[in-house]
Amino acid sequence: MDVLIEEKIAQAVSLKRYSDFNGANLIYEQLNDQYPHSPVILKSWAKTLVCLGLYEDAINKFQLAVKLFIPQGMENHAWQCNNQIMEIRNRSKTPEQFKKYIRAVSGGTILDPKM
Protein backbone atom coordinates (compact mmCIF):
# COMPACT_ATOMS: atom_id res chain seq x y z
CA MET A 1 0.00 0.00 0.00
CA ASP A 2 1.13 3.52 -0.76
CA VAL A 3 2.83 5.21 2.21
CA LEU A 4 0.71 8.35 1.79
CA ILE A 5 -2.46 6.26 2.00
CA GLU A 6 -1.21 4.57 5.16
CA GLU A 7 -0.32 7.91 6.76
CA LYS A 8 -3.64 9.52 5.87
CA ILE A 9 -5.64 6.51 7.10
CA ALA A 10 -3.67 6.59 10.36
CA GLN A 11 -4.49 10.29 10.69
CA ALA A 12 -8.20 9.62 10.05
CA VAL A 13 -8.24 6.74 12.55
CA SER A 14 -6.65 9.02 15.14
CA LEU A 15 -9.35 11.64 14.56
CA LYS A 16 -12.00 8.94 14.85
CA ARG A 17 -10.59 7.85 18.21
CA TYR A 18 -11.10 11.42 19.44
CA SER A 19 -14.69 11.49 18.13
CA ASP A 20 -13.83 13.79 15.22
CA PHE A 21 -15.77 11.68 12.75
CA ASN A 22 -16.40 14.59 10.39
CA GLY A 23 -12.68 15.34 10.22
CA ALA A 24 -11.94 11.68 9.52
CA ASN A 25 -14.66 11.61 6.87
CA LEU A 26 -13.08 14.60 5.12
CA ILE A 27 -9.74 12.80 4.95
CA TYR A 28 -11.40 9.76 3.39
CA GLU A 29 -13.22 11.91 0.84
CA GLN A 30 -9.89 13.46 -0.18
CA LEU A 31 -8.15 10.08 -0.27
CA ASN A 32 -10.93 8.63 -2.40
CA ASP A 33 -10.59 11.53 -4.84
CA GLN A 34 -6.86 10.81 -5.15
CA TYR A 35 -7.09 7.01 -5.09
CA PRO A 36 -10.50 5.91 -6.34
CA HIS A 37 -11.32 2.22 -6.09
CA SER A 38 -8.95 1.50 -3.21
CA PRO A 39 -10.61 -1.20 -1.10
CA VAL A 40 -8.42 -0.36 1.90
CA ILE A 41 -9.63 3.24 1.87
CA LEU A 42 -13.25 2.18 1.34
CA LYS A 43 -13.17 -0.31 4.22
CA SER A 44 -11.71 2.18 6.67
CA TRP A 45 -13.98 4.97 5.42
CA ALA A 46 -17.03 2.76 5.91
CA LYS A 47 -16.17 2.41 9.60
CA THR A 48 -16.15 6.19 9.96
CA LEU A 49 -19.52 6.38 8.21
CA VAL A 50 -20.83 3.86 10.74
CA CYS A 51 -19.69 6.21 13.51
CA LEU A 52 -21.54 9.06 11.80
CA GLY A 53 -24.70 6.93 11.77
CA LEU A 54 -24.68 6.81 7.96
CA TYR A 55 -25.34 3.10 7.87
CA GLU A 56 -26.51 2.75 4.26
CA ASP A 57 -23.51 4.75 3.01
CA ALA A 58 -21.26 2.50 5.10
CA ILE A 59 -22.85 -0.62 3.64
CA ASN A 60 -22.30 0.73 0.12
CA LYS A 61 -18.60 1.37 0.83
CA PHE A 62 -18.17 -2.06 2.43
CA GLN A 63 -19.86 -3.72 -0.57
CA LEU A 64 -17.64 -1.91 -3.05
CA ALA A 65 -14.57 -2.84 -1.00
CA VAL A 66 -15.63 -6.52 -1.11
CA LYS A 67 -15.87 -6.38 -4.90
CA LEU A 68 -12.37 -4.91 -5.07
CA PHE A 69 -10.73 -7.13 -2.43
CA ILE A 70 -11.78 -10.47 -3.98
CA PRO A 71 -9.91 -10.10 -7.32
CA GLN A 72 -6.81 -9.13 -5.34
CA GLY A 73 -6.97 -12.41 -3.42
CA MET A 74 -7.80 -10.62 -0.18
CA GLU A 75 -10.76 -12.78 0.82
CA ASN A 76 -10.12 -12.22 4.54
CA HIS A 77 -10.70 -8.49 4.12
CA ALA A 78 -13.78 -9.20 2.01
CA TRP A 79 -15.10 -11.48 4.76
CA GLN A 80 -14.52 -8.76 7.38
CA CYS A 81 -16.46 -6.26 5.27
CA ASN A 82 -19.33 -8.70 4.76
CA ASN A 83 -19.39 -9.40 8.48
CA GLN A 84 -19.67 -5.69 9.24
CA ILE A 85 -22.46 -5.34 6.69
CA MET A 86 -24.38 -8.04 8.55
CA GLU A 87 -23.80 -6.26 11.89
CA ILE A 88 -25.33 -3.11 10.45
CA ARG A 89 -28.23 -4.85 8.74
CA ASN A 90 -29.11 -6.86 11.86
CA ARG A 91 -29.02 -3.87 14.20
CA SER A 92 -32.73 -3.97 14.98
CA LYS A 93 -32.67 -7.75 15.56
CA THR A 94 -29.61 -7.73 17.82
CA PRO A 95 -29.43 -4.23 19.35
CA GLU A 96 -27.05 -5.13 22.19
CA GLN A 97 -24.63 -6.79 19.79
CA PHE A 98 -24.89 -3.75 17.51
CA LYS A 99 -24.07 -1.42 20.41
CA LYS A 100 -20.95 -3.49 21.13
CA TYR A 101 -20.02 -3.31 17.46
CA ILE A 102 -20.40 0.48 17.43
CA ARG A 103 -18.36 0.82 20.63
CA ALA A 104 -15.59 -1.24 19.01
CA VAL A 105 -15.68 0.61 15.68
CA SER A 106 -15.65 3.99 17.41
CA GLY A 107 -12.82 3.07 19.74
CA GLY A 108 -15.18 3.28 22.68
CA THR A 109 -16.28 6.84 22.03
CA ILE A 110 -19.88 6.02 21.07
CA LEU A 111 -21.73 4.30 23.87
CA ASP A 112 -25.34 4.72 22.75
CA PRO A 113 -25.57 4.63 18.95
CA LYS A 114 -28.61 5.51 16.96
CA MET A 115 -30.37 2.45 15.68
Side-chain angles (χ1 to χ4, degrees), residues 38-58:
S38 167
V40 173
I41 292 169
L42 292 167
K43 179 183 173 187
S44 193
W45 187 5
K47 294 175 188 178
T48 295
L49 294 171
V50 166
C51 294
L52 287 166
L54 301 172
Y55 303 136
E56 292 306 314
D57 291 341

Side-chain angles (χ1 to χ4, degrees), residues 64-84:
L64 183 53
V66 167
K67 289 179 185 175
L68 296 168
F69 276 131
I70 290 174
Q72 295 180 15
M74 301 176 84
E75 288 84 6
N76 187 44
H77 287 281
W79 179 88
Q80 290 171 3
C81 290
N82 281 324
N83 188 56
Q84 293 193 50

Side-chain angles (χ1 to χ4, degrees), residues 81-96:
C81 290
N82 281 324
N83 188 56
Q84 293 193 50
I85 290 168
M86 294 309 298
E87 289 284 353
I88 297 166
R89 286 190 173 149
N90 291 331
R91 66 187 178 272
S92 62
K93 295 176 188 170
T94 57
E96 288 307 312

